Amino acid sequence: GYRGRGSPEMHREVDGVVWGDRLQIEFGPSVKHTVFQSSYSREVFVAGGFRGDSTVIPNGVDDTMFNRQASAGWFGLRQEPRSYWDGSSPLRVVISTWSNNYNKGFHDYLKIDRLLAGRDDVEVWLVGRVPPDAAFQHVRIFPPRSPRRLAALLKRAHVILQLSEHDTCSNALLEGLNCGLPAIYLDSGSHKELAEPYGVEYQGDWWAAIAAVKDKYNVFVERLASNPYRISVVGPQYRAVLERAVG
């Protein structure tokens, strides 16, 4: 999945195949079984020449942290169900990104930033890194933080916004989903494959996407309770694949 990340050398195309992917495909004869993070990822590799036994297992996040419980009480020692959007207060949308690569959606995030001027019904937060030349005026920026502190911040939001390009299985998206956040996602890479039951596709109209996610907010929140992107669910799937491969 090097098309949208890595050094220029790794994401350049050679004979129609991204070079970083080509290097992985060349390991094929030495690999007994391959696990792909998404059907999108497998399709990219098959198109690039991959052959061999494989299984698709989406990532699983640490659900001891990324969950629907929030700290409460003295020193935050008590856990209780997190709160959700009440239908009348400002809708709080969060972007989470470890990378400052423009492919992580920053062209769109900067456009959305301008649309927020003069509006108090929607807030947008961004936690992570931003490109050095990206000047946000209305999006609130939080610096990168540890997983536990990131989870706590996500649980203060209502919606996860994920507009990155070509991601094979975005952990940032899955962490948000597990914290009970319906998604506004770009149909690029595996986003739709992962998030379609839990959110709305972003098609270039910011306010239309906001209206759509508000309209089905409670439906998405209810569905998210049983999403499969948790390590407690994914771990046994990896173990089963390893046992079959070794056996």
Side-chain angles (χ1 to χ4, degrees):
Y2 276 95
R3 182 177 175 186
R5 64 182 52 78
S7 66
E9 180 184 16
M10 293 297 277
H11 63 235
R12 63 193 170 99
E13 285 195 16
V14 178
D15 297 328
V17 180
V18 173
W19 183 246
D21 294 352
R22 167 63 66 195
L23 295 179
Q24 296 180 79
I25 290 170
E26 289 178 354
F27 278 103
S30 303
V31 174
K32 186 170 184 178
H33 195 92
T34 298
V35 176
F36 290 102
Q37 299 169 299
S38 61
S39 295
Y40 161 78
S41 179
R42 179 162 63 184
E43 290 164 4
V44 167
F45 271 67
V46 169
F50 169 83
R51 300 293 182 271
D53 293 331
S54 65
T55 302
V56 174
I57 303 178
N59 293 348
V61 304
D62 185 348
D63 47 351
T64 65
M65 287 185 288
F66 297 98
N67 54 44
R68 293 149 64 101
Q69 297 294 306
S71 298
W74 290 100
F75 305 108
L77 298 178
R78 188 176 77 252
Q79 294 290 301
E80 60 183 31
R82 57 150 299 174
S83 60
Y84 295 92
W85 183 56
D86 60 11
S88 58
S89 60
L91 186 74
R92 188 172 297 134
V93 180
V94 65
I95 303 159
S96 177
T97 175
W98 187 254
S99 171
N100 63 3
N101 189 313
Y102 265 96
N103 285 336
K104 290 298 181 179
F106 284 102
H107 293 292
D108 283 317
Y109 298 150
L110 287 165
K111 292 177 184 177
I112 290 168
D113 179 71
R114 294 192 290 271
L115 295 174
L116 296 173
R119 298 289 295 252
D120 58 7
D121 56 326
V122 176
E123 300 174 7
V124 178
W125 293 357
L126 190 155
V127 56
R129 295 181 169 87
V130 300
D133 60 342
F136 287 95
Q137 301 297 320
H138 307 287
V139 172
R140 183 178 177 185
I141 307 297
F142 295 83
R145 51 193 56 207
S146 66
R148 193 169 298 279
R149 293 180 62 225
L150 172 61
L153 186 143
L154 292 176
K155 293 171 193 179
R156 294 167 53 197
H158 306 127
V159 173
I160 182 82
L161 177 62
Q162 179 53 278
L163 304 183
S164 62
E165 301 174 44
H166 316 305
D167 270 336
T168 55
C169 188
S170 167
N171 278 332
L173 174 60
L174 301 189
E175 288 164 355
L177 295 178
N178 273 281
C179 288
L181 306 181
I184 297 174
Y185 61 87
L186 184 70
D187 183 11
S188 179
S190 67
H191 295 336
K192 187 170 186 176
E193 175 184 344
L194 300 172
E196 186 174 26
Y198 314 112
V200 300
E201 181 182 340
Y202 180 71
Q203 297 180 319
D205 188 328
W206 170 243
W207 297 116
I210 289 294
V213 80
K214 283 182 174 181
D215 184 57
K216 296 187 68 175
Y217 181 82
N218 291 329
V219 173
F220 294 143
V221 167
E222 184 176 350
R223 288 178 184 170
L224 283 166
S226 57
N227 86 80
Y229 312 124
R230 294 163 282 148
I231 198 64
S232 58
V233 174
V234 170
Q237 297 177 49
Y238 268 96
R239 177 172 179 168
V241 168
L242 288 168
E243 288 175 342
R244 290 200 305 272
V246 172

